[in-house]
């Protein structure tokens, strides 16, 4: 009798494996195309920061549901799809950093690391993505776009100094430090908002991410 039960159990396990494989494939393809379409729609019909929040979330969801291999497949698939729809350059601007960021966030959320760790890692990746974007567009346009960034930061720092009554001109070194600091700050805020959006959304989809700090739950009155 026990042998019959073991045979039936093995048959059930084999059946579940056979059903799981196509489901994993379909979900991976669907979520990869979802991430690509969010980028595609936001590029041609920008809706402010609303869609931008969800750039890395579909690939992170693939990681939460099916693991790292499926998440990397989703990242590659989304890049290939955007390459067909928009060309390789715009595809690269999505893959680095947002597709990679989805894999990174999925890995940290699966391991239940604190928000400060996942946000910090995502901030570093997002900052690298900014430098990659500046480098790629500079190569394609044959102009140094970092100079444009520095000019914008210089105008901001000079305005700030004027408001604070500081009668001096910042050096080039401190302007570059200020530019990097502003990029880091912008990415940190972006990753924090991504975590908020993913926390509220993925809880309802049955794939919760780690709980935020207590003060965030108190502010949002969320239990």
């Amino acid at each position: 009798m026990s042998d019959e039960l073991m045979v039936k159990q093995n048959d059930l396990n084999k059946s579940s494996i056979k059903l799981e494989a196509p489901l994993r494939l379909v979900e991976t393809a669907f979520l990869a195309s979802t991430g690509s379409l969010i980028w595609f729609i936001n590029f041609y019909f920008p809706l402010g920061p609303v869609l931008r929040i969800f750039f890395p979330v579909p690939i992170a969801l693939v990681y939460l549901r099916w693991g790292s291999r499926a998440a990397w497949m989703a990242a590659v698939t989304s890049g290939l799809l955007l390459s067909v729809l928009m060309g390789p350059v715009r595809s690269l601007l999505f893959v680095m950093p947002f597709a990679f960021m989805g894999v990174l966030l999925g890995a940290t959320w699966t391991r239940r690391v604190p928000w400060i760790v996942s946000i910090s890692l995502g901030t570093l990746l997002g900052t690298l993505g900014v430098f990659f974007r500046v480098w790629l567009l500079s190569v394609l346009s044959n102009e140094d776009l970092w100079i444009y960034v520095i000019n914008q930061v210089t105008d901001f720092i000079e305005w700030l100094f004027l408001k604070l009554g500081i009668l001096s001109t910042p050096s080039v070194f401190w302007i570059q430090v200020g530019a990097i600091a502003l990029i880091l700050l912008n990415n940190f805020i972006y990753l924090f908002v991504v975590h908020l959006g993913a926390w509220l959304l993925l809880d309802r989809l049955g794939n919760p991410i780690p709980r935020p700090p207590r003060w965030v739950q108190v502010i949002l009155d969320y239990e």
Side-chain angles (χ1 to χ4, degrees):
M1 191 70 178
S2 60
D3 291 339
E4 292 180 1
L5 288 174
M6 290 180 64
V7 170
K8 290 181 179 179
Q9 184 66 35
N10 289 334
D11 291 340
L12 288 174
N13 290 337
K14 290 179 181 178
S15 299
S16 63
I17 291 173
K18 290 180 180 179
L19 290 174
E20 183 180 290
L23 180 61
R24 182 193 300 115
L25 184 63
V26 170
E27 282 196 8
T28 300
F30 174 77
L31 289 170
S33 61
T34 300
S36 301
L37 288 175
I38 291 174
W39 170 267
F40 181 84
I41 293 171
N42 186 77
F43 187 87
Y44 289 106
F45 308 100
L47 301 176
V50 177
L51 290 179
R52 183 179 172 83
I53 294 171
F54 298 101
F55 285 167
V57 173
I59 295 175
L61 180 56
V62 173
Y63 199 115
L64 289 172
R65 290 184 60 79
W66 299 110
S68 61
R69 184 172 181 272
W72 282 112
M73 288 177 60
V76 172
T77 302
S78 63
L80 293 175
L81 178 59
L82 284 173
S83 182
V84 173
L85 294 175
M86 306 174 70
V89 174
R90 291 169 183 170
S91 171
L92 285 173
L93 295 180
F94 171 78
V95 172
M96 179 63 186
F98 298 109
F100 291 160
M101 190 178 291
V103 177
L104 173 65
L105 293 179
T108 55
W109 292 342
T110 299
R111 290 164 176 77
R112 320 309 291 177
V113 302
W115 275 31
I116 187 62
V117 176
S118 55
I119 290 175
S120 299
L121 293 175
T123 298
L124 293 176
L125 180 58
T127 302
L128 289 176
V130 172
F131 288 118
F132 174 79
R133 178 189 297 258
V134 171
W135 170 79
L136 180 62
L137 296 179
S138 296
V139 170
L140 294 175
S141 64
N142 201 26
E143 295 182 9
D144 189 358
L145 298 183
W146 181 247
I147 294 176
Y148 172 77
V149 175
I150 292 300
N151 289 337
Q152 296 296 313
V153 175
T154 301
D155 292 340
F156 172 75
I157 293 178
E158 287 179 349
W159 172 84
L160 184 63
F161 276 25
L162 182 62
K163 292 296 182 181
L164 296 175
I166 302 175
L167 301 177
S168 64
T169 303
S171 65
V172 175
F173 171 78
W174 287 111
I175 290 174
Q176 304 229 27
V177 170
I180 296 173
L182 286 174
I183 292 171
L184 285 168
L185 178 61
N186 180 67
N187 278 281
F188 188 89
I189 294 172
Y190 170 71
L191 264 297
F192 179 75
V193 176
V194 168
H195 276 65
L196 281 179
W199 172 47
L200 297 173
L201 174 64
L202 299 185
D203 259 10
R204 289 160 175 76
L205 295 179
N207 296 99
I209 69 172
R211 300 297 87 186
R214 182 63 185 170
W215 63 268
V216 176
Q217 299 184 52
V218 170
I219 291 174
L220 297 179
D221 192 22
Y222 188 92
E223 294 295 338

